[in-house]
């Protein structure tokens, strides 16, 4: 999509499993906001940055892989993914991301390195452009700023 002679960034945000229940989870870890509130922050940030954004959430690994594969034919210029629990073991999500030729930023609401040992390893991070964790919903907004800068 073009506007005034330049390409509008199209980004995809993927929320992984259980993020649809943020308002039911431990607020000391995941914050006070619901997923709907976070999505509104993302949509407002997209307007501010002149981006087009699609937001997708799934509790199912295969649906997330299908959505990542759709990126190759959909004209997205960036991906922000919170793989949630899949972060620590989903080789299939990792492999789908590895194929992409666009910047990919992994985000987490909590600081995964300050939590249980099993949460400290991300199999996804090595195939991403970068990772942002521990900033709550701001993690998504920082990732959006980063994608904007990476796509200049």
């Amino acid at each position: 999509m073009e506007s005034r002679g330049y390409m509008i960034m199209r980004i995809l945000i993927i929320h992984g499993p259980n993020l649809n229940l943020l308002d039911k989870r431990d607020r000391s870890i995941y914050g006070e906001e619901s997923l709907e509130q976070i999505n509104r922050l993302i949509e407002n940030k997209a307007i501010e940055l002149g981006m087009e954004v699609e937001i997708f959430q799934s509790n199912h690994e295969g649906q997330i892989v299908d959505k990542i594969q759709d990126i190759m034919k959909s004209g997205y210029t960036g991906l922000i993914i919170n793989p949630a629990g899949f972060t620590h073991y989903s080789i299939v999500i990792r492999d789908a991301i590895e194929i992409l030729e666009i910047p990919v930023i992994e985000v987490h609401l909590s600081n995964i390195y300050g939590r249980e040992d099993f949460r400290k390893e991300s199999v996804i991070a090595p195939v991403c452009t970068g990772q942002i964790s521990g900033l709550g919903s701001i993690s998504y907004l920082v990732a959006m700023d980063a994608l904007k800068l990476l796509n200049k």
Side-chain angles (χ1 to χ4, degrees), residues 43-139:
E43 290 164 351
N44 289 336
K45 183 70 169 180
I47 292 167
E48 174 189 321
L49 294 175
M51 293 178 166
E52 183 180 311
V53 65
E54 179 183 348
I55 301 170
F56 175 79
Q57 189 277 325
S58 180
N59 295 316
H60 305 282
E61 191 175 36
Q63 287 180 345
I64 292 171
V65 170
D66 288 343
K67 196 68 175 176
I68 292 168
Q69 290 178 358
D70 285 346
I71 289 172
M72 291 184 280
K73 59 185 173 212
S74 299
Y76 289 102
T77 53
L79 169 64
I80 296 170
I81 183 167
N82 183 340
F86 291 136
T87 300
H88 318 292
Y89 70 88
S90 182
I91 301 304
V92 296
I93 291 175
R94 180 194 193 281
D95 288 350
I97 290 171
E98 188 174 33
I99 296 167
L100 299 178
E101 296 179 356
I102 59 172
V104 178
I105 300 179
E106 177 184 345
V107 300
H108 297 282
L109 298 169
S110 69
N111 178 358
I112 63 173
Y113 303 102
R115 297 190 57 196
E116 305 93 336
D117 284 344
F118 72 90
R119 293 188 197 271
K120 293 179 182 177
E121 182 178 349
S122 169
V123 298
I124 308 295
V127 295
C128 292
T129 308
Q131 182 193 72
I132 300 165
S133 71
L135 302 177
S137 60
I138 295 170
S139 296

